[in-house]
Amino acid sequence: MQWAARERFTNRSSLMQVWGVGLLLAACALWIWLGFLLADEPDTYCYRVSSCEVLTEVPKQLTVLGISAPLSVLGAGLLVAGSVRRQTSAHVFEVIEMQKSEERSREK
C-alpha cells in the first residue's frame, strides 16, 4: 500500500516537473523570438521625400513578451514544486524507514 501511494505521488511530481520544463522551453523559444524581433532594424516607409514613417512591430513584441512572461513564471513554479514534492517524499519515506528500523531493534 505504501509503495503504491509513493509511486503515484512520485509520478505526479515527475509530471509536474515535465510540464514545468515544457513551459520553460516554450517561454525560452518565445524569448529568443522576441530577441530576434528586437534586433531587426525598423523598416522605413517614405511616401514623400520630406516625411518618413518608421514601421515597428511593437504590438507583436509586446504580445510575445506578454505570453512568455506568465509561461516562464508558471514553468518555474511547476518545476520547483515538483522537485520539492519529490525531495519531501523521499525524506518522509526515509524517516518512516528509520522509525521502523528503530522499532525492530527495540523489539529484539
Side-chain angles (χ1 to χ4, degrees), residues 4-37:
R6 183 171 187 255
E7 285 299 314
R8 282 194 311 266
F9 191 80
T10 302
N11 288 339
R12 285 192 306 255
S13 299
S14 297
L15 185 62
M16 286 175 69
Q17 286 180 313
V18 168
W19 272 101
V21 168
L23 289 175
L24 283 174
L25 287 175
C28 184
L30 289 173
W31 280 96
I32 290 170
W33 184 28
L34 179 63
F36 282 122
L37 289 175

Side-chain angles (χ1 to χ4, degrees), residues 15-105:
L15 185 62
M16 286 175 69
Q17 286 180 313
V18 168
W19 272 101
V21 168
L23 289 175
L24 283 174
L25 287 175
C28 184
L30 289 173
W31 280 96
I32 290 170
W33 184 28
L34 179 63
F36 282 122
L37 289 175
L38 291 174
D40 286 341
E41 293 181 22
D43 297 328
T44 306
Y45 173 71
C46 295
Y47 58 91
R48 291 186 185 168
V49 178
S50 61
S51 63
C52 293
E53 293 180 11
V54 176
L55 301 175
T56 61
E57 296 182 353
V58 173
K60 185 186 232 182
Q61 295 167 352
L62 289 177
T63 302
V64 171
L65 180 64
I67 293 171
S68 67
L71 285 179
S72 300
V73 171
L74 186 60
L78 283 173
L79 182 62
V80 168
S83 298
V84 168
R85 282 174 55 120
R86 287 183 76 173
Q87 291 175 358
T88 303
S89 172
H91 175 72
V92 167
F93 186 70
E94 287 180 17
V95 168
I96 290 171
E97 288 298 318
M98 287 189 324
Q99 287 175 346
K100 286 182 180 180
S101 175
E102 287 178 5
E103 288 175 7
R104 283 192 296 255
S105 65

